[in-house]
C-alpha cells in the first residue's frame, strides 16, 4: 500500500441505507488486511482525482466498487484519519440507489491479484454494533447515518 503512505489523500464515501425485511440496512465493503490495519468494513468510496468534482468521484467509485449507480443526496460529515503512515481527509455523503446490479467490485488501478475489496454485506444497526471498532469505520453508529 506504499502508494497511499506518507501523503495526504482526499477520499469520498457513500452511505447507502435501504429498508430490507422491514429494517434499515447499510451497505459496507470488507477490505483485505493491509499495512497496520487488519480486515476492515467501510462504506464504498475512494480517492478524488485531480480536477474531478467530489460528487462525480463518489458516483464513479461507488459504481466501480459495488456495481450500483447512486446519486449523492446530502453531505453528512468530514472525517480525518491520521496514523504513522496514512493521512486521509474523508468526506461522507448520503446516497440513494438509481440503478445497477450489486456485485463485489474492483479497483481499476490494481492488478486482479491485488484487489482490496473482499466482500460486501448489508448491516443492520445491531449487526454493525457487533463488529469491534477496530474492524469497522468509526462514526457509522451515529443516528444521522441511519436516516432513509
Amino acid at each position: 500500500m506504499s502508494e497511499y503512505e506518507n501523503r495526504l489523500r482526499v477520499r469520498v464515501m457513500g452511505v447507502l441505507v435501504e429498508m430490507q425485511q422491514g429494517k434499515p440496512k447499510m451497505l459496507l465493503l470488507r477490505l483485505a488486511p493491509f499495512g497496520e490495519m487488519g480486515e476492515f468494513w467501510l462504506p464504498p468510496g475512494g480517492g478524488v482525482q485531480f480536477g474531478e468534482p467530489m460528487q462525480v468521484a463518489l458516483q464513479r467509485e461507488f459504481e466501480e466498487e459495488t456495481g450500483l449507480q447512486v446519486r449523492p443526496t446530502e453531505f453528512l460529515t468530514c472525517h480525518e484519519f491520521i496514523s504513522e503512515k496514512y493521512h486521509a481527509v474523508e468526506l461522507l455523503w448520503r446516497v440513494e440507489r438509481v440503478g445497477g446490479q450489486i456485485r463485489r467490485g474492483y479497483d481499476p488501478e490494481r492488478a486482479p491479484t491485488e484487489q482490496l475489496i473482499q466482500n460486501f454485506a448489508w448491516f443492520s444497526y445491531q449487526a454493525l454494533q457487533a463488529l469491534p471498532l477496530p474492524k469497522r469505520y468509526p462514526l457509522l453508529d451515529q443516528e444521522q447515518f441511519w436516516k432513509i
Side-chain angles (χ1 to χ4, degrees), residues 19-32:
M19 291 299 285
Q20 296 184 358
Q21 300 166 338
K23 289 184 173 183
K25 295 201 176 174
M26 183 183 294
L27 179 63
L28 298 178
L29 302 178
R30 186 180 77 212
L31 298 186

Side-chain angles (χ1 to χ4, degrees), residues 30-41:
R30 186 180 77 212
L31 298 186
F34 67 91
E36 62 211 42
M37 299 173 63
E39 174 185 291
F40 193 67
W41 289 91

Side-chain angles (χ1 to χ4, degrees), residues 13-17 58 70-77 92-96 143-148:
M13 302 168 83
V15 176
L16 177 61
V17 177
L58 176 57
V70 297
R71 180 177 70 87
T73 60
E74 177 186 1
F75 177 73
L76 294 169
T77 193
L92 285 85
W93 297 78
R94 182 182 322 285
V95 298
E96 67 180 8
E143 186 177 319
Q144 68 175 342
F145 289 91
W146 290 88
K147 293 179 184 173
I148 294 183

Side-chain angles (χ1 to χ4, degrees), residues 92-105:
L92 285 85
W93 297 78
R94 182 182 322 285
V95 298
E96 67 180 8
R97 184 192 318 209
V98 296
Q101 295 293 320
I102 195 163
R103 60 164 171 71
R104 182 175 62 94

Side-chain angles (χ1 to χ4, degrees), residues 52-100:
E52 182 179 39
M54 285 186 289
Q55 291 185 356
V56 171
L58 176 57
Q59 291 170 310
R60 174 185 52 76
E61 286 285 347
F62 211 99
E63 188 167 6
E64 288 172 358
E65 294 183 354
T66 69
L68 297 178
Q69 291 136 15
V70 297
R71 180 177 70 87
T73 60
E74 177 186 1
F75 177 73
L76 294 169
T77 193
C78 177
H79 178 256
E80 184 175 35
F81 174 81
I82 301 175
S83 72
E84 185 178 319
K85 294 181 180 181
Y86 304 105
H87 186 180
V89 174
E90 301 166 327
L91 303 148
L92 285 85
W93 297 78
R94 182 182 322 285
V95 298
E96 67 180 8
R97 184 192 318 209
V98 296

